[in-house]
Structure formats: C-alpha cells, structure tokens
Amino acid sequence: MSLGRKQLRLIPIVGILLATLWLSTSRAFERYELQTYDWRFHLRGDRTVSKDIVLVDIWDDTLQALGRWPFDRQYHAVLIQALKEYGAKAVVFDVEFVEPHEQDPKVIEAARLAGNTYFAFGFSSPKLLSHRFVSTKIESPVLPDYAAASKGTGFVNIQVDLDGKRRRVMPVIEYFGKNYYQLSFRVLLDLLNVKPEEAVLEPGKYLDLKGLRVPLDEDGCYLINFAGTWKETFSHYSSVDILASYMQ
C-alpha cells in the first residue's frame, strides 16, 4: 500500500523529532546547555549572601608569615580556638588531614573542646548508578582521632562538567549501603538539626531535609546557585590576620 502525500510530508518531521530526541537523550546538547547556564547567571546578576558565612583564606601573606604549605598544624589548633571564641557556629576545613603530624594532639584537643569543627575526606572514583553516586573506597580518610574529635566529617569530591568547569555538587555518595554527605551538606544537616539518617534521598529528583527539599538533576547532583564571583560575594579574611589578632 502506497503512502499518501500527507503521510509523506510527515516523514521528515517525524525524522527531525526522532533525531532531536536522540540528541537530547545522548546529551549532545549538554555543552550548549552548560554555556547557557553561565550566561543566565551573568544576566541575572549577583545576589546578596549571608554575612554569617565567611571564608578564612590561606593567602600569600599567611605563607610568608608561617612558612610554605603545609605549615605547622599548631596554627590550625589556634585558629579553631580563636573562631570558637569569636562565636563561630561551625569551623569547616576543606583541607584534608590524612597523614599524621607531631602537632596533631593540639588540633585534636582544640576540635574536641570547640565542638564545632568539621573535617574533610575524599572517596575514590564515585560511579553513577541509577541516578546516585556510589563508591567502594575512601581514597583519603580523615585521621581517626580527628574524626572522633570533630562534630562531623564530609567528602569533598568534585563533579567536573564536560568543559572542565564545576557547576554541580554531589550531595550524597553511597558507601557500602550507607549515605555520606558532601562537606557543606554535612554542616547544613547540623544547622537544620537534621540527623544524617533522617535525610531522604530520591535519586535524580531531590534530597529532603525534614521539609527543606533540595532539587537534584537526573544524575543526582545539586546545581550550584552562584551568588556572584568568588572575590566579590562572601567576606574573606586572611588566616594569618586572625591568628595575629588572637595571639596578641
């Protein structure tokens, strides 16, 4: 049976639709989508950020004063003490303490007394399985005494997009049947008084923190809502300035 003219006209349209659907599911447009994501932030403009969040930076002045990185860990202990006395609710280290050091007892004791310190670790090559990330190895574990003295620990693995930029965060990685949280999300749980086991993950949809629903993309990542450029958003303080002020 031959096709009519109307049916023949539909063939190119159906072909285009099928090709578009294939390109969409194969992520052929992903690089373009990522670029438009950046453009939309530029068009939107900067957003006001909380003054309660500050970044303590290890700048050149710190390295000049304390020596090259990694410098003596006793300074981390003093920094924890200072920030606690200055009223910090959470002191979050995004550097990893994975190798023993002679000054570790000072840092551990400072963290234990402060009761507000978080340390970082890293998983080995998390794999995406059914809209969630899974790992079978911790590549850089927190030293046991540090973990015991901390208020919590979180991973700092980074999700890199096709163009090499970082726009997404893996909030949860499953490790032998248990969920572990990205460092900032681990802090957020405590600030919201949500126990880790109370968080509900719907892979590829959302992470529910007792009513606060964090949207996730189909890979299970949280798209970062950039407030603006790194230097011009959150308040920055030099680590050595805080130490010098506290130790006077």
Side-chain angles (χ1 to χ4, degrees):
M1 185 176 72
S2 60
L3 297 175
R5 289 184 178 180
K6 187 173 182 181
Q7 292 171 315
L8 289 173
R9 291 173 184 169
L10 289 176
I11 292 177
I13 298 174
V14 173
I16 292 172
L17 290 174
L18 290 174
T20 302
L21 179 62
W22 178 82
L23 288 170
S24 177
T25 56
S26 65
R27 293 192 165 184
F29 293 134
E30 185 169 355
R31 189 179 297 272
Y32 173 76
E33 171 64 21
L34 294 173
Q35 290 176 344
T36 63
Y37 187 70
D38 297 339
W39 294 337
R40 291 196 296 269
F41 273 109
H42 283 297
L43 291 173
R44 187 197 68 175
D46 293 350
R47 288 293 185 267
T48 302
V49 298
S50 173
K51 294 182 179 179
D52 293 333
I53 301 175
V54 301
L55 302 181
V56 179
D57 299 313
I58 299 174
W59 289 329
D60 289 341
D61 59 345
T62 301
L63 299 179
Q64 290 172 3
L66 305 182
R68 67 180 183 179
W69 181 262
F71 48 69
D72 198 311
R73 289 185 183 176
Q74 66 174 322
Y75 296 113
H76 296 308
V78 176
L79 183 63
I80 293 171
Q81 295 168 3
L83 294 176
K84 174 63 175 180
E85 292 188 24
Y86 292 156
K89 290 183 179 180
V91 177
V92 187
F93 284 90
D94 62 354
V95 297
E96 299 175 1
F97 296 94
V98 297
E99 296 180 354
H101 187 277
E102 61 183 359
Q103 297 293 341
D104 283 340
K106 293 183 179 180
V107 183
I108 293 166
E109 182 65 6
R112 186 187 66 80
L113 292 175
N116 65 351
T117 309
Y118 296 79
F119 296 114
F121 68 92
F123 282 107
S124 176
S125 303
K127 304 297 182 183
L128 180 61
L129 299 173
S130 302
H131 310 289
R132 65 187 302 159
F133 291 92
V134 178
S135 180
T136 57
K137 181 181 178 182
I138 296 179
E139 186 71 26
S140 50
V142 182
L143 291 170
D145 288 341
Y146 274 72
S150 72
K151 188 171 183 179
T153 62
F155 63 84
V156 287
N157 294 76
I158 297 174
Q159 180 73 354
V160 181
D161 289 323
L162 291 174
D163 56 3
K165 295 182 180 179
R166 296 167 175 81
R167 304 175 181 85
R168 298 182 295 166
V169 172
M170 297 176 282
V172 181
I173 293 178
E174 182 182 318
Y175 178 67
F176 289 100
K178 182 178 178 180
N179 287 338
Y180 290 78
Y181 294 88
Q182 194 269 349
L183 185 60
S184 59
F185 276 85
R186 182 62 186 83
V187 178
L188 178 61
L189 288 173
D190 284 341
L191 293 176
L192 295 176
N193 294 316
V194 178
K195 296 178 180 179
E197 60 271 19
E198 293 177 328
V200 178
L201 175 66
E202 279 292 330
K205 295 181 179 180
Y206 60 82
L207 174 66
D208 191 282
L209 307 178
K210 292 179 67 174
L212 175 63
R213 184 165 290 187
V214 180
L216 305 178
D217 66 11
E218 61 182 7
D219 288 344
C221 287
Y222 169 70
L223 285 164
I224 300 172
N225 183 16
F226 291 102
T229 60
W230 183 76
K231 289 184 178 180
E232 298 174 0
T233 50
F234 294 102
S235 298
H236 294 259
Y237 294 90
S238 170
S239 179
V240 71
D241 286 347
I242 295 176
L243 291 171
S245 173
Y246 180 73
M247 296 173 70
Q248 283 181 352

